[in-house]
Amino acid sequence: MGSAFLLFAGGVNALILPVRGEAEGFTAASLGLLGTGWAIGYVAGCLCTPALVARVGHIRAFGAMCAIAAIAVLLSLVLITPWVWIPVRALSGFCFAGAAMIVESWLNERADASSRGRVFGIYTMVNLAATTAGQMVLTLGDANGYFFFVLAAMVYCLALLPTAISATTTPRPLTQVSLNLPGLWRNSPIAFFAVLMVGISNAAFGTLAAVYAARIGLTLNDIALFASIPILAGALSQIPVGIASDNFDRRKVLVGITVFALIADSLFLFTGVTQPLLVLGFSALFGATVFAMYPVIVAHANDHAEPGTFIQVSGGLLLVFGVGSIVGPTVAGFAMTSFGAASLFAITGTAHILLILFAILRLRTAPAVTTENKGTFQAQPLARASTPETAALAADQAELDADQPPDDAPASPAPRTDHTE
């Protein structure tokens, strides 16, 4: 319940800011910096929350995160200027990462070997439904008023109630990961590079999709659909993508879906389409591809990770995704300010072209993973809605048992020695 309220409020907040900012005449560059601020706060939250929780406890930390998130939303209403919204959005990213890690730690503590997969699946579906509902609620009112800001703040406060009155025992300490770039690169160069490009692409779209939709003349209802349909399409496409990646070289599957993403980029960039049905159809193709890439990348990286480094690899890649999320909205925002709304898809398309080229290079120089060394594809929630604790929740019991390196072992991921990719 706490997670559902958290994601619902986050969905409202993430969409009302660019919609209201566009109505207030903010530049696309300043609105892009909202996404950059959120990503900076998110990465900081993933890194700092474990120490905070160790000092004050899960319940106090979670309550503080939700309360500060509510204050941040209301501050965005009181002071409507991008120079306030950008740092406040960073504060929101920090609070979201911290609160989500605490929720996932609680679920991870309660799940056992027989229920872990079911718990993770339900948790993922609840978050997807809550995020979508939060975005779609904007169709019920006027984005130029105060209602949606107040609604988001109220729901953030509701999010802390289930935890505050819970009588369950305090869970174990949170999962800690470090941003070990050399270790992640050695483990799998293609996973490292691909997740960086996907962070650039997905964060640029996630931050500025509403701005693009507003500038081509879509109504508020259509803007909400334009932001929500890609998320739903990405969730559904993980089923066939996962089957394909378990049966074929994951790198080739990644190239294939990235080619389709590039087609979607090109449709937006070169057709100049403004008819709502076509725009929404193109957005479904875009979402079905870009939001299915991250799970394939994580699965490929974990195919190469030594036993005992599953959570470190997954959590580290998530932080690299966060680094890409810092870059993408900034570059796309300035491009849209200088060259027009469609240049958003020039940025996402460039990221996809670079991903394809690097993947082809790795296909030519590194062997594929053997069947016996491949793990099973695990569907993932949106990367921007995930934390390092998500990796622990998504792991099965065997992976958790193996993910206990000896006290003198390094915490960073180590590459396998039986292949070089």
Side-chain angles (χ1 to χ4, degrees):
M1 289 176 62
S3 182
F5 287 137
L6 183 71
L7 269 293
F8 180 91
V12 175
N13 192 26
L15 193 55
I16 189 61
L17 289 178
V19 170
R20 180 62 176 270
E22 177 68 12
E24 295 286 344
F26 293 1
T27 65
S30 63
L31 293 174
L33 288 173
L34 293 180
T36 298
W38 194 93
I40 292 172
Y42 163 84
V43 172
C46 289
L47 294 173
C48 297
T49 299
L52 176 64
V53 170
R55 190 165 70 88
V56 303
H58 289 71
I59 293 176
R60 290 179 179 176
F62 187 83
M65 296 294 182
C66 293
I68 295 171
I71 292 170
V73 177
L74 294 176
L75 190 58
S76 300
L77 174 63
V78 173
L79 299 172
I80 303 178
T81 167
W83 309 119
V84 172
W85 281 19
I86 293 167
V88 164
R89 191 64 177 143
L91 193 61
S92 296
F94 182 92
C95 293
F96 172 82
M101 286 187 74
I102 294 168
V103 168
E104 291 163 3
S105 172
W106 233 295
L107 292 175
N108 191 35
E109 183 77 7
R110 303 287 291 179
D112 55 25
S114 62
S115 66
R116 181 171 298 278
R118 184 169 66 254
V119 168
F120 180 69
I122 294 172
Y123 172 72
T124 301
M125 287 189 292
V126 167
N127 285 356
L128 176 65
T131 300
T132 304
Q135 293 178 333
M136 291 305 300
V137 79
L138 263 71
T139 63
L140 303 179
D142 182 7
N144 293 322
Y146 64 86
F147 173 76
F148 292 115
F149 291 90
V150 175
L151 176 65
M154 291 170 60
V155 178
Y156 271 131
C157 292
L158 282 176
L160 66 84
L161 295 183
T163 301
I165 63 176
S166 172
T168 58
T169 57
T170 299
R172 64 185 182 182
L174 269 64
T175 299
Q176 297 193 44
V177 296
S178 59
L179 192 56
N180 181 7
L181 303 183
L184 290 168
W185 177 268
R186 290 193 301 270
N187 181 70
S188 175
I190 190 173
F192 180 98
F193 186 82
V195 83
L196 183 64
M197 292 299 105
V198 171
I200 291 172
S201 164
N202 291 14
F205 179 80
T207 301
L208 294 166
V211 178
Y212 171 83
R215 293 191 176 184
I216 64 172
L218 297 189
T219 65
L220 182 58
N221 287 5
D222 290 332
I223 291 172
L225 287 171
F226 186 73
S228 300
I229 286 176
I231 297 174
L232 298 175
L236 292 174
S237 69
Q238 289 192 43
I239 299 172
V241 167
I243 294 172
S245 75
D246 281 344
N247 289 280
F248 302 99
D249 187 339
R250 297 197 206 274
R251 298 171 299 176
K252 293 180 179 179
V253 174
L254 180 61
V255 169
I257 58 178
T258 308
V259 168
F260 280 103
L262 190 57
I263 292 172
D265 296 325
S266 301
L267 289 172
F268 280 113
L269 188 57
F270 298 118
T271 64
V273 63
T274 58
Q275 294 89 342
L277 286 179
L278 284 177
V279 171
L280 295 178
F282 292 170
S283 74
L285 174 61
F286 184 87
T289 53
V290 300
F291 293 127
M293 294 178 189
Y294 178 76
V296 176
I297 295 168
V298 172
H300 180 74
N302 286 325
D303 287 342
H304 295 276
E306 289 284 1
T309 61
F310 171 85
I311 295 174
Q312 289 294 328
V313 168
S314 299
L317 287 176
L318 192 61
L319 295 181
V320 174
F321 178 93
V323 173
S325 298
I326 294 171
V327 175
T330 301
V331 176
F334 280 102
M336 291 176 71
T337 297
S338 301
F339 305 108
S343 58
L344 167 63
F345 295 98
I347 302 303
T348 61
T350 300
H352 295 150
I353 290 172
L354 293 174
L355 195 162
I356 291 170
L357 293 176
F358 190 82
I360 291 173
L361 174 64
R362 295 300 300 174
L363 282 167
R364 293 173 61 88
T365 58
V369 179
T370 58
T371 303
E372 57 270 19
N373 283 321
K374 287 185 73 172
T376 302
F377 176 90
Q378 173 71 61
Q380 300 279 345
L382 290 177
R384 65 179 290 144
S386 302
T387 72
E389 195 69 37
T390 310
L393 183 60
D396 59 33
Q397 195 61 45
E399 288 166 332
L400 287 175
D401 292 340
D403 208 73
Q404 301 295 331
D407 293 339
D408 58 348
S412 58
R416 287 182 175 173
T417 56
D418 53 351
H419 42 266
T420 58
E421 163 51 0

